[in-house]
């Protein structure tokens, strides 16, 4: 869907940052705020509160999310994330319609995840994440994800990710999913990336994306996606950071 969004952030104290943002689309609006606090040199906590409105179905709701990230060593990090949302909350993705099930995409009302990642010399970065979601219809589902990424050549970055849903309620889940991406640096400010994703629910989806940071205040991204059924979607994003002045 076509949408517009704006965000900004402020430094409140030496170790505290505040942020706020809003999004608007046809029959969908959302706004929220965030707080990030460094507890130590290696540990950070953050919180986000988002409110949404979907006039087409006369629903309003909110989502509260909290996370903790920490460094466990020179090249190992870990994180915990928990979120809770009310019945009427929707993300922009939640407004989508699942053609195979002839029903709206299912939504999670509670989420809990834990992750760990580490960098090994000459092998790249390895990661693992496990999560559990409770949906609004009372079902629960767990997911395990494994990932690997590496700069295989000077200007080339390769990443692979495998995901597996398990638990009591996986009837409408994509089962095992595989994701592959390849990014090429075209100079210092421009990059080209290709990706492919396959899962049991949606089949194979491929795409390409071109990104460029024109200068310190302007950047853009254009992309094209092709679904398993042959449908082609194009998308674009423009990033503007207004200059500011200060007088002492």
């Amino acid at each position: 869907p076509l949408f517009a969004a704006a965000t900004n952030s402020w430094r409140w104290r030496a170790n505290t940052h505040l942020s706020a943002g809003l999004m608007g689309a046809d029959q969908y609006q959302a706004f929220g705020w965030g707080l990030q606090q460094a507890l130590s040199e290696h540990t950070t906590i953050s919180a986000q509160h988002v409110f949404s409105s979907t006039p087409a179905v006369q629903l309003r709701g909110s989502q509260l999310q909290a996370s903790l990230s920490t460094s466990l060593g020179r090249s190992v990090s870990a994180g915990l994330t928990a979120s809770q949302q009310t019945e009427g909350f929707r993300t922009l993705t939640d407004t989508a319609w699942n053609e195979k099930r002839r029903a709206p995409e299912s939504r999670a009302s509670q989420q809990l995840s834990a992750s760990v990642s580490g960098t090994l010399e000459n092998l790249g970065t390895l990661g693992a994440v496990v999560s559990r979601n409770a949906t609004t219809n009372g079902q629960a589902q767990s997911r395990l994800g494994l990932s690997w990424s590496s700069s295989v050549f000077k200007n080339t970055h390769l990443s692979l990710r495998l995901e597996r849903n398990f638990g009591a309620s996986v009837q409408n889940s994509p089962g095992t999913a595989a994701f592959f991406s390849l990014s090429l640096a075209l100079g210092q400010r421009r990059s080209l990336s290709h990706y492919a994703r396959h899962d049991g629910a949606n089949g194979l989806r491929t795409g390409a994306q071109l990104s460029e940071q024109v200068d310190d205040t302007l950047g853009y991204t254009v992309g094209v996606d092709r679904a398993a059924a042959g449908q082609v979607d194009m998308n674009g994003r423009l990033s503007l950071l207004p200059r500011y002045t200060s007088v002492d």
Side-chain angles (χ1 to χ4, degrees):
L2 180 65
F3 69 92
T7 61
N8 201 0
S9 62
W10 305 267
R11 183 174 180 178
W12 185 24
R13 297 176 180 174
N15 299 319
T16 306
H17 287 80
L18 297 173
S19 61
L22 55 87
M23 174 186 291
D26 184 28
Q27 296 297 323
Y28 179 82
Q29 297 85 40
F31 69 94
W33 60 268
L35 172 67
Q36 185 180 68
Q37 174 69 47
L39 299 181
S40 67
E41 183 180 356
H42 305 291
T43 303
T44 301
I45 60 171
S46 62
Q48 292 180 331
H49 201 183
V50 181
F51 302 86
S52 73
S53 174
T54 314
V57 288
Q58 299 181 348
L59 288 176
R60 292 182 180 180
S62 65
Q63 180 191 63
L64 181 62
Q65 178 175 290
S67 62
L68 168 71
S69 61
T70 186
S71 175
L72 302 178
R74 186 175 180 180
S75 58
V76 180
S77 60
L80 290 172
T81 301
S83 68
Q84 173 77 46
Q85 64 188 43
T86 63
E87 176 66 25
F89 178 78
R90 296 290 190 275
T91 66
L92 186 60
T93 305
D94 289 334
T95 63
W97 184 266
N98 190 305
E99 292 292 345
K100 288 190 174 182
R101 293 192 290 117
R102 304 301 301 172
E105 296 288 0
S106 60
R107 300 177 299 108
S109 60
Q110 295 178 329
Q111 295 178 303
L112 180 64
S113 65
S115 62
V116 61
S117 64
T119 301
L120 302 177
E121 187 175 0
N122 300 324
L123 291 179
T125 300
L126 300 173
V129 59
V130 60
S131 63
R132 183 166 180 82
N133 303 331
T135 62
T136 54
N137 57 10
Q139 296 182 332
Q141 189 175 111
S142 300
R143 173 177 296 181
L144 174 65
L146 301 174
S147 64
W148 169 82
S149 63
S150 179
S151 297
V152 290
F153 299 107
K154 182 179 179 181
N155 298 320
T156 305
H157 188 80
L158 178 67
S159 65
L160 300 171
R161 187 171 74 246
L162 294 175
E163 297 177 352
R164 174 65 180 175
N165 290 344
F166 57 95
S169 304
V170 294
Q171 180 179 358
N172 298 316
S173 72
T176 300
F179 181 86
F180 164 85
S181 70
L182 178 66
S183 299
L184 305 174
L186 307 176
Q188 295 183 343
R189 293 179 175 267
R190 185 182 301 172
S191 65
L192 177 66
S193 61
H194 301 267
Y195 84 89
R197 176 187 171 88
H198 184 275
D199 62 57
N202 302 303
L204 177 65
R205 187 177 186 93
T206 58
Q209 181 174 279
L210 175 66
S211 301
E212 182 178 6
Q213 188 66 39
V214 180
D215 53 34
D216 293 339
T217 63
L218 175 63
Y220 70 89
T221 299
V222 292
V224 58
D225 299 302
R226 185 180 188 276
Q231 178 183 355
V232 177
D233 298 320
M234 300 187 67
N235 58 82
R237 179 178 181 181
L238 182 66
S239 176
L240 291 172
L241 179 65
R243 295 184 182 275
Y244 65 91
T245 60
S246 62
V247 178
D248 296 325

